[in-house]
Amino acid sequence: MPRSYDSLTLEDAKRILAAAEAKAASLGIAYNIAVVDAGGHLVAFVRQDGALIGSIDLAIQKAVTARIFDKATSDLASLAQSGKPLFGIQESNAGKVVIFGGGISVVFDGSIVGAVGASAGTVETLSSTARVPRK
């Protein structure tokens, strides 16, 4: 029997993008922002005016990485260093795993329902998990 699970909707993704855009504006940094659903598939994306073109794929892959490993990409970075338990993980999944900050899980009622990836800013401006209220 197929398993059912909660996932972000397009409406959820739009609210997440709006909040992320507001945060980017407050920082004065143009970002690329991606939202993926519980299956790691892109639901919504925005490239703010002036955001680096080279960061488009990074934002998307950060979101996907955070979802498929259920861990913030900044946490994966420390675990992927030489001698650490996940050394080399960035080579998995056809080399599309991004192991530096910018990807975080989205949690609703204690379950991961998707993820967000942002690229073009600094790691320090990102948190480890996004908790999004549902309407």
Side-chain angles (χ1 to χ4, degrees):
M1 174 182 266
R3 190 172 100 172
S4 66
Y5 55 89
D6 285 326
S7 187
L8 290 175
T9 65
L10 178 57
E11 193 60 38
D12 296 329
K14 288 178 181 179
R15 287 197 328 276
I16 292 168
L17 287 179
E21 285 190 276
K23 179 65 175 179
S26 76
L27 297 170
I29 301 170
Y31 274 88
N32 291 292
I33 307 159
V35 179
V36 299
D37 63 15
H41 302 285
L42 187 65
V43 176
F45 175 85
V46 65
R47 178 177 172 259
Q48 293 183 304
D49 293 341
L52 296 172
I53 294 169
S55 291
I56 293 170
D57 287 339
L58 287 175
I60 295 168
Q61 291 308 322
K62 286 178 184 184
V64 171
T65 298
R67 178 54 193 116
I68 65 175
F69 292 109
D70 293 343
K71 189 170 289 306
T73 56
S74 59
D75 292 341
L76 284 174
S78 61
L79 295 169
Q81 300 304 309
S82 180
K84 298 292 183 169
L86 297 181
F87 179 66
I89 195 169
Q90 70 275 12
E91 301 303 323
S92 69
N93 293 277
K96 293 186 176 188
V97 172
V98 177
I99 59 165
F100 45 90
I104 58 173
S105 300
V106 177
V107 177
F108 177 68
D109 281 346
S111 296
I112 296 175
V113 294
V116 180
S119 191
T122 62
V123 175
E124 292 77 26
T125 62
L126 303 169
S127 63
S128 62
T129 304
R131 300 198 185 277
V132 179
R134 288 246 171 120
K135 286 187 174 182

